[in-house]
Amino acid sequence: EVELSKAEAKTVYNCLKGESKMAYAKSGNLWAKWFTHWKNFSNQPYVSGTHGGRFVNNYASQKAAGAYGKFEKAGKMTTGGVLAKDSFVVTPKGRVSVGPLFLMEKMGGNFNKASGNWRYTLIMPNGQTVGTTNGKGSKTVKFCIECHAAVAQEQDNMFFLPAEFRTN
C-alpha cells in the first residue's frame, strides 16, 4: 500500500479525473457520465481496503446527498438515490492508473431482497461493465451484496468513509 499526503492524493486525482470520466462514460451508464457533478463527501481520496486497497472518493447524487451526508444517521436511502466511488491505483514505483467505478443505486419494490433493493454496478477503467445486480454479470457483484449486508440493518447497506476524510 502506497501512502500519499493529502496534497499528493488530490494532485493525482485531479490529473486522472478527465481520463477516468471518459473511461467510465464508455460504459454507456448514465450515472458513470454524471457522478463527477454530484457532491463529493471526501475531503481527499483515501485508501479503501474493501475496494482493493485503491484510493477512492465518495459521491452522492442529488437525491442521495441529503441522507448520505448524515452518515451513520442516514436511515433508509430514498428510492432513486445513487452513490458512486471512483478509484485510482498508485504502485510502489509511483505509477498511477485509473481504477474501477463502483455504483450503488437504491431501487424500489422487490428489486432484490438480498441486496436490500440496491443495484450494484462495477465498471472497469476501459468502460466495460463487469456486472450489475439482476443484470449481466450479476454473479460478479454478488461479493458487493455480501459485503454490504454486514451493515444492512443498521445502515441500509451503506458503508461510510472514515471520519477524518469526511466533508459536508
Side-chain angles (χ1 to χ4, degrees):
E1 188 174 299
V2 175
E3 289 188 31
L4 299 178
S5 70
K6 183 175 186 174
E8 290 169 331
K10 285 182 172 185
T11 298
V12 170
Y13 182 66
N14 288 334
C15 287
L16 290 175
K17 198 170 184 179
E19 180 185 340
S20 62
K21 186 176 178 178
M22 288 189 322
Y24 302 142
K26 290 178 189 175
S27 69
N29 181 294
L30 177 67
W31 310 128
K33 293 179 183 180
W34 289 104
F35 79 92
T36 57
H37 298 282
W38 301 346
K39 174 141 176 75
N40 182 353
F41 285 91
S42 312
N43 61 27
Q44 73 173 74
Y46 67 96
V47 175
S48 174
T50 56
H51 293 88
R54 297 173 178 92
F55 286 86
V56 300
N57 287 285
N58 294 50
Y59 289 88
S61 68
Q62 186 174 0
K63 209 171 213 180
Y68 190 79
K70 294 176 186 172
F71 302 110
E72 286 81 4
K73 296 179 182 175
K76 292 280 185 193
M77 179 57 67
T78 304
T79 299
V82 184
L83 305 176
K85 264 190 192 3
D86 58 354
S87 68
F88 67 87
V89 177
V90 180
T91 69
K93 292 186 177 183
R95 184 171 176 206
V96 299
S97 59
V98 176
L101 174 65
F102 305 90
L103 297 168
M104 288 177 67
E105 180 181 3
K106 187 67 173 190
M107 307 300 287
N110 294 315
F111 174 74
N112 186 301
K113 186 178 179 179
S115 74
N117 289 325
W118 284 94
R119 175 169 46 204
Y120 294 87
T121 301
L122 175 59
I123 299 171
M124 298 306 287
N126 64 3
Q128 176 190 1
T129 300
V130 175
T132 301
T133 307
N134 289 4
K136 187 175 178 184
S138 188
K139 288 181 182 178
T140 308
V141 294
K142 186 177 178 191
F143 174 79
C144 303
I145 293 169
E146 292 168 351
C147 184
H148 283 259
V151 292
Q153 295 299 319
E154 305 84 22
Q155 298 174 185
D156 192 23
N157 297 75
M158 294 180 285
F159 281 104
F160 301 100
L161 61 163
E164 66 267 26
F165 301 116
R166 295 178 183 180
T167 186
N168 274 331

